[in-house]
Amino acid sequence: MTALTLSTAGAATLRADALVVGVAKGPKGPVVAAGAEAVDKAFDGKLAAVLDALGASGAEGEVTKLPAPAGLKVPVVLAVGLGSVPDTDESYDEEALRRASGAAARALHGTKKAAFALPLDDASAVTAVAEGALLGAYAFTVYQGGDKKAVKNGGPKQPLAEIALLGAKPRDKEHKAAAERAVIVAAEVNIARDLINTPPNDLTPEAFAAVASATAKEHGIKVQVLDEKALLKGGYGGLIGVGKGSENPPRLVKLSYTHAKAEKTLAFVGKGITYDSGGISLKPAGHNETMKCDMSGAAAVFAAVVAAAKLGLQVNVTGWLALAENMPSGSATKPGDVLRMYSGKTVEVLNTDAEGRLVLADALTKASEDNPDAIVDVATLTGAMVLALGNRTFGIMANDDAFRTSIHEIAEEVGEASWPMPLPADLRKGMDSPTADLANMGERMGGGLVAGLFLQEFVGEGITWAHLDIAGPAFHEGAPYGYTPKGGTGSAVRTLVRLAERTATGDLG
């Protein structure tokens, strides 16, 4: 992973391969941001004018490379846009800093060391810049470089190897803690991205469970893995029903991080469909190619639990990974079949492509047995949520309005776009079944909300619960932007980690 240091060196004296400065969009043209004073001086006070002449405006995410003038010990200056100049006495928005540093790090792939001289007004800004740079310095190259010619030419460009933050204070406890937190959180987000990007022939439920087990044990996290025999014996009809069409059987993984002084317990439940063909209700052509990402919820939960352990948070966090592969075969669940879930309820399967809610139902019931203070499930659950909120925003549903609001505020705080969604009681009737206790499908309109209502049926009585539908932002198919790469994004990891932090400190509204 990319290394991060807090440097006391000045922008004009540090030796590096590139120097990153911020430029904002002012009323009369680009404005050089704080932190770049020494660089501007090296340009004889004309850096803004040079950028203006090159067509730079300071717009968010805009990247402009310049040859460094005499007086700097770097060959390249990279100016990155921060968006509009903030009002007097206001600091740059943390998400603007995060995205700018991410864009700069992406532009510096193939570079060994870069110094970042962006505005660092406080510890929060240190976190934002460090986190953005580390998330931007990401590339999934595990399966590249096999071509002999490509190897001879250096292979795929590797991420920026080292980041030095200028302007932070290495001896300041808050700055040091902010940087250390950013390193941990970014590392886990990137691990989640790696898992999401791994081809489904390599990341089967068994393989995912093995990765989770090995990593958890390294960090003192207790692990329990239920294989297909244990799931069948235990009556986990949802997981068995979804996974029985595949040669790769399902798994339910429990990860338990505990702290001796913890007063609260959170349970995170993740949908882990390592590949989703739709089953017998086969997806149409053009909808299968990215279905390795259908385990993004489980990846987020796994990463969040590990991050909580590495941060030593004073809260108990349990992670549940509901892992299965949804495939069509002679043994696969069919539309019209009835499954008896772990809770004892029966579900008529009307669509085998609505499988995520089935595996989550078993995991939610199991998680409820521990009677945690709150349960949050994370899933790439419905295309309907993408239609409602687009590709960059996840929906939040909950059985407690205050909890839903708190998660929305937390997501906004860490820079993850989200939106509160309702659970209309009138939509529940659409899941009535003449054969079973309920069906796995309801009304077509409001399908994302119907899925939330289905999950709510399996949450233990009296337990606060929220559902994050990350179907939109979990996997980015377009061009990279800010600190967001093409492919797996690690959506919801930062929200879950911040929720755990606020629960640990009692700062949860």
Side-chain angles (χ1 to χ4, degrees):
M1 180 179 168
T2 303
L4 177 82
T5 58
L6 302 183
S7 177
T8 57
T13 59
L14 183 71
R15 292 186 181 277
D17 300 300
L19 177 60
V20 178
V21 298
V23 57
K25 191 173 183 178
K28 297 182 180 180
V31 177
V32 178
E37 292 82 0
V39 181
D40 190 33
K41 183 178 180 181
F43 277 91
D44 296 325
K46 298 178 180 179
L47 177 55
V50 172
L51 289 168
D52 190 28
L54 291 173
S57 66
E60 185 179 298
E62 181 182 75
V63 172
T64 307
K65 287 185 178 181
L66 305 166
L72 299 180
K73 297 187 181 298
V74 296
V76 175
V77 172
L78 187 149
V80 62
L82 296 169
S84 299
V85 175
D87 294 335
T88 306
D89 298 329
E90 288 189 11
S91 301
Y92 285 93
D93 177 75
E94 289 174 23
E95 180 63 4
L97 292 173
R98 193 180 287 112
R99 290 183 179 179
S101 56
R106 282 194 302 102
L108 292 171
H109 271 28
T111 303
K112 289 185 178 180
K113 181 177 181 178
F116 282 64
L118 296 174
L120 298 179
D121 294 336
D122 53 26
S124 295
V126 172
T127 295
V129 172
E131 196 171 79
L134 291 167
L135 292 175
Y138 170 82
F140 186 70
T141 60
V142 176
Y143 292 83
Q144 296 176 346
D147 179 76
K148 292 181 179 180
K149 185 177 180 180
V151 172
K152 186 177 181 180
N153 294 329
K157 284 187 177 181
Q158 296 300 310
L160 175 62
E162 184 179 349
I163 296 166
L165 291 195
L166 307 184
K169 303 171 184 176
R171 296 181 182 178
D172 183 292
K173 289 184 179 179
E174 290 188 355
H175 284 210
K176 184 178 179 182
E180 291 174 348
R181 178 192 181 280
V183 168
I184 289 171
V185 173
E188 295 314 311
V189 172
N190 287 338
I191 289 296
R193 290 171 170 179
D194 282 349
L195 286 167
I196 297 164
N197 290 327
T198 299
N201 58 317
D202 282 349
L203 193 74
T204 62
E206 182 179 13
F208 194 157
V211 170
S213 297
T215 303
K217 290 174 182 177
E218 288 179 14
H219 300 288
I221 299 169
K222 292 183 180 179
V223 184
Q224 179 185 16
V225 180
L226 299 183
D227 63 14
E228 69 273 25
K229 293 180 181 178
L231 293 171
L232 185 61
K233 184 177 180 180
Y236 294 84
L239 277 156
I240 290 294
V242 172
K244 71 177 188 175
S246 172
E247 292 182 348
N248 298 302
R251 295 287 186 271
L252 179 62
V253 181
K254 180 183 181 181
L255 307 171
S256 302
Y257 161 70
T258 58
H259 191 287
K261 296 182 179 180
E263 297 180 355
K264 297 284 187 179
T265 297
L266 293 173
F268 296 153
V269 178
K271 173 187 172 183
I273 303 298
T274 57
Y275 182 75
D276 181 20
S277 69
I280 296 296
S281 305
L282 193 66
K283 291 179 182 292
H287 290 73
N288 287 288
E289 290 77 6
T290 61
M291 281 300 102
K292 64 182 181 180
C293 79
D294 213 17
M295 37 59 67
S296 296
V301 166
F302 166 59
V305 176
V306 174
K310 291 169 74 172
L311 290 166
L313 301 183
Q314 195 169 309
V315 59
N316 297 328
V317 183
T318 302
W320 298 87
L321 315 181
L323 309 175
E325 188 176 69
N326 187 24
M327 296 291 285
S329 73
S331 61
T333 293
K334 306 171 292 296
D337 283 356
V338 173
L339 305 178
R340 186 171 296 278
M341 313 300 282
Y342 178 71
S343 69
K345 291 182 180 180
T346 55
V347 175
E348 182 181 12
V349 178
L350 299 181
N351 186 334
T352 63
D353 196 23
E355 85 299 329
R357 65 198 70 183
L358 298 174
V359 300
L360 285 174
D362 278 351
L364 284 168
T365 303
K366 187 63 176 176
S368 296
E369 290 181 349
D370 292 340
N371 197 32
D373 293 283
I375 297 175
V376 179
D377 76 70
V378 188
T380 48
L381 206 59
T382 66
M385 196 57 57
V386 184
L387 291 174
L389 299 178
N391 290 317
R392 297 189 182 185
T393 304
F394 62 75
I396 308 170
M397 285 155 264
N399 61 5
D400 181 281
D401 289 347
F403 190 53
R404 181 184 62 191
T405 298
S406 292
I407 292 179
H408 175 52
E409 291 173 349
I410 286 169
E412 186 176 67
E413 178 185 338
V414 300
E416 295 197 304
S418 68
W419 197 251
M421 302 293 283
L423 288 171
D426 61 286
L427 291 178
R428 169 61 183 83
K429 185 173 178 58
M431 290 186 286
D432 286 348
S433 165
T435 306
D437 293 324
L438 74 165
N440 75 330
M441 294 291 289
E443 294 183 29
R444 180 171 176 268
M445 299 302 175
L449 312 183
V450 171
L453 287 165
F454 180 92
L455 296 179
Q456 186 174 221
E457 294 276 330
F458 299 89
V459 178
E461 186 176 351
I463 298 176
T464 300
W465 159 79
H467 160 57
L468 311 186
D469 190 335
I470 61 170
F475 196 84
H476 180 57
E477 295 186 65
Y481 65 94
Y483 53 83
T484 301
K486 187 178 180 68
T489 65
S491 177
V493 173
R494 289 179 290 142
T495 296
L496 294 180
V497 173
R498 190 70 186 110
L499 173 61
E501 289 175 324
R502 287 183 60 171
T503 302
T505 58
D507 186 29
L508 187 63

